[in-house]
């Protein structure tokens, strides 16, 4: 299941169980929608444990990370990524993608708390 929602400057991208056939396409579409935003935002990304992309999907996601770097650095005030398992390597990778505050955690409440001061900047 993939969903993208926005409320009060918080963009929430969910990609988790139950997984379905169109999830890869829906996820990549959601990334492209984030790239079209014109107003500042903070982002919460909640990603489940399973789900592997096709080679083409992996490539498209990597291209999005490269293509969106400037856009994300300009408009995204902070990002919190919630995953069921988190490693130091994963934290390192996400922190190098953009020049903005990033938290990678297993705890959604911690992620939301991390984003609060960044959302206050948008108000």
């Amino acid at each position: 299941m993939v969903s993208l929602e926005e409320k009060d400057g918080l963009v929430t991208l969910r990609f988790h169980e139950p997984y379905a056939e169109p999830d890869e396409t829906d996820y990549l579409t959601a990334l492209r929608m984030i790239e079209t935003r014109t107003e500042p935002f903070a982002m919460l990304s909640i990603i489940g444990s399973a789900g592997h992309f096709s080679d083409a999907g992996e490539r498209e996601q990597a291209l999005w990370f490269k293509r969106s770097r400037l856009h994300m650095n300009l408009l995204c005030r902070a990002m919190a990524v919630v995953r069921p398992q988190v490693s130091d390597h994963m934290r390192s990778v996400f922190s190098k993608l953009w020049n903005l505050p990033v938290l990678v955690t297993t705890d959604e409440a911690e992620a939301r708390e991390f984003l609060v001061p960044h959302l206050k900047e948008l108000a």
Side-chain angles (χ1 to χ4, degrees):
M1 178 177 85
V2 176
S3 67
L4 182 66
E5 57 193 53
E6 189 272 329
K7 183 177 180 186
D8 300 327
L10 177 62
V11 173
T12 303
L13 173 61
R14 297 177 191 274
F15 182 15
H16 57 77
E17 300 82 3
Y19 295 109
E21 182 66 33
D23 285 349
E24 179 177 311
T25 300
D26 292 349
Y27 173 77
L28 295 170
T29 298
L31 291 181
R32 286 189 294 276
M33 290 175 69
I34 292 165
E35 191 177 4
T36 66
R37 294 188 57 82
T38 59
E39 298 294 324
F41 63 98
M43 186 162 170
L44 175 61
S45 181
I46 303 170
I47 309 295
S49 59
H52 295 281
F53 288 154
S54 66
D55 289 345
E58 290 285 351
R59 197 169 33 259
E60 180 61 31
Q61 178 181 244
L63 288 171
W64 182 83
F65 284 131
K66 283 183 174 185
R67 186 177 64 241
S68 69
R69 177 171 269 148
L70 179 61
H71 180 263
M72 292 293 285
N73 286 337
L74 287 172
L75 293 180
C76 187
R77 299 301 183 244
M79 177 181 285
V81 180
V82 180
R83 303 276 319 244
Q85 296 177 337
V86 174
S87 67
D88 288 339
H89 175 72
M90 185 183 301
R91 285 185 177 102
S92 175
V93 168
F94 275 99
S95 70
K96 292 176 184 175
L97 289 172
W98 307 287
N99 297 326
L100 53 98
V102 175
L103 173 71
V104 181
T105 181
T106 59
D107 184 341
E108 185 175 340
E110 178 185 15
R112 289 181 180 279
E113 185 175 317
F114 168 78
L115 293 172
V116 166
H118 304 287
L119 289 167
K120 287 181 180 177
E121 293 173 12
L122 301 176

